[in-house]
């Protein structure tokens, strides 16, 4: 596709799954934390998820590039300051939790409840039930401490 050439016909939207696979790690708890940390740093979550999925590539970049090595050293130093200071560790953890919860809320909000009954099946029903149980457990854990 470039100027002076006829446009090409693209595959139907349903066929895109043959050409594109979504990043599965983004939907895990670990992925949510990585995504939240990436957003806090002002970078696209996909970049951080890609690095997390391939630690060998991260090692190669650190070994080959002084700037990458320095960034890794600085990150490890920051992590050691966070681990050594209970208040800072709690603050960092609070920020991660807030970002993960905001991302979860945003994703859930994107589901139109009026469309859901038309497409729900046993798997989707189970996923929603499991999510509700997790939310209930989180709520119960803070009520008992408050």
């Amino acid at each position: 596709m470039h100027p002076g050439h006829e446009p090409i016909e693209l595959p139907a939207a349903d066929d895109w799954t043959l050409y594109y696979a979504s990043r599965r790690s983004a939907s895990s708890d670990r992925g949510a934390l990585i995504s939240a940390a990436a957003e806090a740093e002002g970078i696209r979550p996909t970049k951080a998820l890609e690095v997390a999925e391939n630690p060998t590539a991260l090692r190669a970049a650190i070994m080959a590039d002084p700037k990458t090595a320095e960034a890794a050293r600085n990150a490890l130093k920051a992590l050691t300051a966070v681990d050594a200071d209970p208040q800072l560790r709690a603050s960092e953890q609070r920020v991660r939790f807030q970002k993960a919860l905001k991302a979860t809320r945003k994703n859930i909000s994107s589901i139109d409840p009026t469309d859901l009954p038309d497409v729900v099946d046993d798997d989707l029903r189970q996923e929603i039930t499991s999510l509700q149980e997790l939310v209930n457990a989180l709520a119960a854990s803070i009520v008992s401490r408050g």
Side-chain angles (χ1 to χ4, degrees):
M1 295 188 337
H2 50 86
H5 289 82
E6 291 294 317
I8 61 169
E9 191 67 30
L10 295 175
D14 292 342
D15 293 339
W16 279 100
T17 56
L18 300 171
Y19 305 98
Y20 172 78
S22 64
R23 177 162 265 113
R24 295 194 191 283
S25 65
S27 61
S28 70
D29 290 340
R30 179 176 176 247
L33 291 174
I34 292 169
S35 295
E39 289 175 0
E41 292 291 328
I43 63 168
R44 292 181 313 194
T46 53
K47 290 291 185 189
L49 289 165
E50 184 177 339
V51 169
E53 289 171 1
N54 195 341
T56 304
L58 175 60
R59 182 182 187 282
I62 290 169
M63 299 298 285
D65 178 43
K67 284 185 179 181
T68 303
E70 185 61 27
R73 276 192 285 282
N74 289 338
L76 289 172
K77 285 178 190 174
L79 182 63
T80 302
V82 168
D83 286 345
D85 183 342
Q87 288 182 330
L88 188 55
R89 183 176 51 236
S91 177
E92 287 285 320
Q93 195 171 30
R94 189 175 304 108
V95 168
R96 282 193 316 241
F97 289 165
Q98 287 173 340
K99 291 201 177 288
L101 290 169
K102 284 179 183 179
T104 301
R105 181 179 52 216
K106 180 181 173 184
N107 288 331
I108 290 173
S109 295
S110 71
I111 299 171
D112 185 349
T114 59
D115 292 339
L116 195 57
D118 295 335
V119 298
V120 74
D121 62 5
D122 288 340
D123 290 338
L124 191 53
R125 190 174 287 111
Q126 178 58 45
E127 191 65 35
I128 292 170
T129 301
S130 296
L131 181 60
Q132 181 66 50
E133 290 169 358
L134 287 172
V135 170
N136 289 345
L138 287 174
S141 73
I142 62 173
V143 169
S144 65
R145 291 187 177 227

